Amino acid sequence: MSFHGFRITSVGAEENEISLLRSNASPVWFLRQRLTTQRTMVYITEEMVRGRAEHNECEIFSLEEVSLHQQDIERIEHIGRWCRDLKILYLQNNLIPRIENLGRLKKLEYLNLALNNIEVIENLEGCESLQKLDLTVNFVGRLSSVESLQCNVHLAELFLVGNPCTEFEGYRQYVVASLPQLKFLDGTQISRSERIRASQGLEEVKRRVREQEREYLKTRAREKEEARRKAAGEEKGNEERRPGSDGRWYTDINNTVPALEENKENQEAEENMKKVNPDLEEEQREREFWHTPCSFTPESRLEAHRHLEEKKRAKEKEKEKKPKAPRTLITADGRVMNVNEPKLDFSLTEDEENNMIVLDLGVYRHMDTSLMDVDIQPTYARVSVKGKIFQIVLPAEVKPDSSTAQRSQTTGHLVLSMPRVEGEINVTKAVTRLPRRSQTRNSSSPEDNKRDNSAPQRLEVDPSKSTAIDLANIVTKHLSTKQGPLETFRTDPPPASGPSSSSEGFVDDSDVPPLI
């Protein structure tokens, strides 16, 4: 398999920066890739090691075990000086290309370097107590480099699964014969009979292994040279490339114009498709990247890693551009919303005996109280739990100054006791009344113009123009002399004593009541 489409800017352990270059990429894509792949290397820092020493009270000088896996580390350093008593070191799933700076770890017993970019086993002679070495899925092609482990007399287990050297003919026999102290190779126990068979004919096995190793190194060098040549040709082609979309040189005048017109039509069609579906180009790029065949090399692993890293940065930028809208707690018209962001269980009860409202909030049991903030208002209660808001509308008005907040030591629940206001006024929603319609007859008097439309209007009637019958003075007034049924009766009172001449002819009827 040939090495496909990579440019190696530095191969040594001091500078391990590799930039990606696709042979069929456009100039704009190439420049964008060069900018995105120029990234700083990840080194082992004191803060990184101290942050993983919590079980040792953050002391690193007496640390015996440290895990630095999945940190994108590209070089081993400082560990041998900071952690002299280290016994277990996890460095799997990083981007380490070389084993170095571990010679001072005299007490190191287990070293895990699986899923890295290591090509040679070296610089472990100083690890006198090393018992287990894991190099699973690396790029060890120099099988003869396992002889450097002969100084590690306590080495009992070695893992080389997934390395190119495991495909060599006589691989297991060569390793078993070269390392007599081994007890397990790739998880399989080495029996005494296997060791005896491995020692027989060892010279012939070594000769075959060295021949295969030389062929592998030649292939590896050819792949690197091809990658350099493709990278240099791609750069030169980008500088000298004509505006044509396919990058070809057009020497025939008769064929140039139709070809340019065809390319222009293709570009317009592609632009229209991009306008309809903006993510089409990104999906096509992603599909081409993952479906393009390539050899399994340290460069291809770095390419996949940085491609994923670029996508991660793009997603982070999209999140920064689109910040999350804050949750609405109180609407514009003053209405309080019920919110439960931390998704906590709660109960809201009314204590009639003590005239108070009790809120029981199921806060996490082992969470520190300093991470909570309580705010009680007359009509609602708000609790902030690790930055997440819990808010609830109260059924009655309470006294915030007399309210208390207590935390249960057994369950961790937060209990808010809020006494109700005596004679509280239940707030109702205000109803907006429309103004009354104006009368069809417009008033032109100045008094009517001065009236307030918002005040209630009352109808007033002039007493002199009343048409109702007034019965108040019906008795005191004299009857008129008009003819009628009472015309023969007199309304004047009789004389005080003795009969009078004027009363002659008067007949007293007992059935008729007297007039008063």
Side-chain angles (χ1 to χ4, degrees):
M1 298 178 67
S2 61
F3 190 73
H4 175 74
F6 302 104
R7 179 190 177 191
I8 303 175
T9 57
S10 179
V11 185
E14 298 293 333
E15 297 179 355
N16 188 33
E17 184 178 1
I18 302 174
S19 60
L20 169 66
L21 177 63
R22 315 289 287 191
S23 59
N24 58 350
S26 63
V28 177
W29 186 89
F30 165 69
L31 293 174
R32 183 167 65 248
Q33 290 299 319
R34 288 192 65 183
L35 292 174
T36 55
T37 52
Q38 291 177 359
R39 50 188 292 273
T40 58
M41 297 176 63
V42 179
Y43 297 99
I44 299 176
T45 61
E46 184 178 351
E47 290 78 14
M48 183 186 297
V49 179
R50 199 176 296 278
R52 286 155 180 79
E54 297 178 354
H55 59 283
N56 200 39
E57 298 181 356
C58 296
E59 295 180 357
I60 62 175
F61 70 93
S62 60
L63 200 62
E64 295 185 356
E65 179 181 347
V66 64
S67 180
L68 298 173
H69 63 284
Q70 296 181 353
Q71 298 296 319
D72 300 337
I73 298 172
E74 301 186 27
R75 184 178 179 182
I76 303 175
E77 56 184 355
H78 307 307
I79 294 292
R81 293 187 292 104
W82 293 343
C83 311
R84 293 293 186 89
D85 297 335
L86 203 62
K87 294 183 179 180
I88 301 175
L89 177 59
Y90 295 98
L91 288 170
Q92 69 269 24
N93 204 355
N94 285 293
L95 303 173
I96 300 172
R98 184 182 179 186
I99 303 175
E100 57 184 344
N101 299 323
L102 296 175
R104 297 182 181 181
L105 300 177
K106 304 298 181 181
K107 300 180 181 180
L108 186 64
E109 298 177 358
Y110 177 34
L111 176 61
N112 193 333
L113 286 168
L115 292 169
N116 279 281
N117 296 339
I118 297 171
E119 299 188 52
V120 181
I121 303 174
E122 57 185 348
N123 301 325
L124 291 175
E125 294 82 2
C127 301
E128 301 173 355
S129 303
L130 187 62
Q131 299 178 10
K132 183 178 180 180
L133 177 61
D134 193 347
L135 293 172
T136 304
V137 190
N138 275 272
F139 301 94
V140 178
R142 294 184 182 180
L143 186 57
S144 59
S145 62
V146 299
E147 296 181 0
S148 63
L149 299 175
Q150 293 177 354
C151 299
N152 305 101
V153 294
H154 299 287
L155 184 63
E157 297 183 54
L158 177 63
F159 290 88
L160 291 172
V161 179
N163 287 270
C165 64
T166 58
E167 300 178 1
F168 292 176
E169 183 183 354
Y171 148 73
R172 186 173 177 87
Q173 184 178 357
Y174 178 83
V175 176
V176 171
S178 301
L179 302 175
Q181 73 273 26
L182 275 185
K183 296 180 181 179
F184 293 88
L185 177 60
D186 297 334
T188 304
Q189 186 176 5
I190 302 172
S191 61
R192 185 174 181 180
S193 59
E194 183 182 4
R195 194 178 302 279
I196 294 173
R197 287 194 302 269
S199 60
Q200 297 174 356
L202 181 60
E203 295 300 327
E204 180 64 21
V205 174
K206 285 184 177 181
R207 185 184 62 79
R208 291 199 306 267
V209 167
R210 286 170 183 171
E211 289 178 359
Q212 297 175 77
E213 187 176 295
R214 284 194 295 268
E215 290 296 328
Y216 171 79
L217 294 178
K218 288 180 182 179
T219 304
R220 185 81 178 101
R222 188 165 53 251
E223 290 173 350
K224 293 179 181 179
E225 184 63 28
E226 184 181 355
R228 293 192 186 96
R229 185 169 59 253
K230 285 184 178 180
E234 186 70 20
E235 285 186 353
K236 186 176 180 180
N238 291 333
E239 294 176 357
E240 300 177 356
R241 185 169 295 174
R242 286 208 174 185
S245 62
D246 55 356
R248 293 183 297 172
W249 288 87
Y250 302 101
T251 55
D252 191 354
I253 299 177
N254 297 327
N255 296 332
T256 302
V257 175
L260 290 176
E261 291 179 354
E262 182 180 357
N263 293 333
K264 186 176 181 180
E265 292 177 357
N266 294 335
Q267 289 179 358
E268 291 179 355
E270 290 178 0
E271 289 178 358
N272 293 333
M273 289 294 295
K274 291 176 183 177
K275 290 179 180 179
V276 175
N277 189 3
D279 299 333
L280 183 62
E281 182 182 6
E282 184 66 24
E283 293 178 0
Q284 185 177 0
R285 262 191 59 196
E286 192 73 13
R287 193 182 305 108
E288 290 179 357
F289 179 85
W290 293 112
H291 289 274
T292 302
C294 64
S295 58
F296 182 59
T297 60
E299 292 78 16
S300 63
R301 188 168 181 269
L302 280 172
E303 179 188 14
H305 168 75
R306 291 178 179 173
H307 180 77
L308 295 175
E309 191 178 36
E310 179 186 356
K311 289 185 62 180
K312 184 179 179 180
R313 287 199 301 266
K315 289 182 179 179
E316 291 177 354
K317 289 182 180 179
E318 289 180 0
K319 290 181 180 179
E320 292 177 358
K321 291 180 181 178
K322 298 178 181 179
K324 185 178 180 181
R327 184 179 291 275
T328 302
L329 301 178
I330 301 177
T331 59
D333 57 353
R335 187 163 57 93
V336 182
M337 307 293 291
N338 290 326
V339 180
N340 190 1
E341 287 184 346
K343 298 181 180 180
L344 300 174
D345 296 334
F346 68 95
S347 64
L348 186 65
T349 58
E350 296 188 25
D351 189 356
E352 298 293 343
E353 183 178 354
N354 298 322
N355 193 26
M356 64 174 51
I357 299 173
V358 180
L359 173 62
D360 188 351
L361 187 61
V363 184
Y364 313 114
R365 179 178 180 181
H366 300 288
M367 194 184 73
D368 190 57
T369 309
S370 60
L371 300 176
M372 292 184 294
D373 186 18
V374 180
D375 181 18
I376 300 177
Q377 297 295 331
T379 57
Y380 67 90
R382 181 185 301 170
V383 181
S384 176
V385 182
K386 296 180 68 175
K388 297 182 179 181
I389 301 299
F390 174 87
Q391 181 172 283
I392 188 170
V393 180
L394 302 177
E397 187 177 358
V398 299
K399 300 177 181 179
D401 298 338
S402 303
S403 302
T404 59
Q406 296 178 342
R407 184 89 182 274
S408 175
Q409 296 182 354
T410 55
T411 62
H413 285 206
L414 179 66
V415 179
L416 303 181
S417 301
M418 300 165 283
R420 288 189 295 189
V421 177
E422 296 180 359
E424 69 273 13
I425 300 175
N426 295 329
V427 181
T428 58
K429 187 175 180 180
V431 180
T432 305
R433 295 184 178 179
L434 297 176
R436 296 183 178 180
R437 294 182 181 180
S438 59
Q439 297 179 357
T440 56
R441 182 176 61 186
N442 296 329
S443 176
S444 59
S445 62
E447 295 180 357
D448 295 340
N449 296 333
K450 293 180 182 180
R451 290 177 180 175
D452 189 3
N453 294 329
S454 61
Q457 303 293 332
R458 294 183 176 84
L459 183 62
E460 298 179 358
V461 181
D462 189 1
S464 62
K465 298 179 179 181
S466 179
T467 58
I469 300 175
D470 188 7
L471 302 178
N473 301 323
I474 190 171
V475 177
T476 56
K477 291 183 179 179
H478 296 282
L479 295 175
S480 62
T481 59
K482 294 181 181 180
Q483 295 180 0
L486 301 178
E487 186 176 357
T488 58
F489 299 97
R490 296 179 61 91
T491 58
D492 296 337
S497 62
S500 175
S501 62
S502 61
S503 60
E504 294 179 358
F506 177 78
V507 178
D508 187 8
D509 190 355
S510 61
D511 296 332
V512 178
L515 295 176
I516 299 175

